[in-house]
Amino acid sequence: MSGRRSPPSSQPGTTSTPGPSGPGQVDYGYAYKRLCALTGSFLDNSSFTPHRGDWLSVVDQGLKALGITAVSVEEFSYGGLPSPLPYAFTPGCGEWTPGRIAQALEQFEATKRAVDESGEAPPLEPEVVDAVMQCIGWMRHAQERPGFGVIGFRS
């Protein structure tokens, strides 16, 4: 599959201002999710499915511990559909743009250099390291395709 965006499909998002919602608004969210599934690339999300209550915020803390602040997996829980699509309460949807991905990967590389120089890495649980590295993999996958980002959904 190919397309403008690469869905991680943990089903976790960003953009879009909530607007009025009414009957059928949820359909827009699921239709957009289906469109992304048809035109994007599925990215391994085994570190995220199924996940416990605050797992996404735990992974975000791991990203921050590694100096990565340009992206957040928790955004996939509460974001909205990209404009001009109408607001839909579910599924949660979020996007990591190519610019944010480039910034996050630069932040990661800077942290790697600092760890190599000091010999000290932030103490993270192995499951958190796995999830963070899965996020890095999503970003590298997208960055290899100019103009691509990552979009995620959470139902």
Side-chain angles (χ1 to χ4, degrees), residues 10-15 48 51-61 63-64 71-80 92-96 100 135 138 152-154:
S10 153
Q11 317 234 61
T14 16
T15 66
F48 293 90
H51 69 268
R52 301 168 299 287
D54 66 343
W55 177 240
L56 300 179
S57 64
V58 171
V59 175
D60 276 351
Q61 291 170 12
L63 287 166
K64 288 177 185 162
V71 297
S72 161
V73 291
E74 195 168 32
E75 291 175 9
F76 296 143
S77 291
Y78 59 80
C93 174
E95 175 184 15
W96 296 347
R100 289 176 63 199
C135 294
W138 297 344
F153 297 90
R154 182 169 185 221

Side-chain angles (χ1 to χ4, degrees), residues 20-34:
S21 100
Q25 292 292 346
V26 170
D27 294 342
Y28 283 103
Y30 287 104
Y32 186 66
K33 180 179 176 182
R34 178 74 175 138

Side-chain angles (χ1 to χ4, degrees), residues 26-48:
V26 170
D27 294 342
Y28 283 103
Y30 287 104
Y32 186 66
K33 180 179 176 182
R34 178 74 175 138
L35 180 63
C36 289
L38 292 171
T39 61
S41 301
F42 176 80
L43 300 173
D44 179 31
N45 63 347
S46 57
S47 292
F48 293 90

Side-chain angles (χ1 to χ4, degrees), residues 96-129:
W96 296 347
T97 63
R100 289 176 63 199
I101 288 170
Q103 183 182 3
L105 289 173
E106 288 171 12
Q107 291 170 333
F108 178 68
E109 292 302 322
T111 299
K112 272 181 35 178
R113 285 189 299 274
V115 167
D116 288 345
E117 290 172 11
S118 71
E120 295 182 29
L124 297 173
E125 295 293 324
E127 298 83 14
V128 175
V129 172

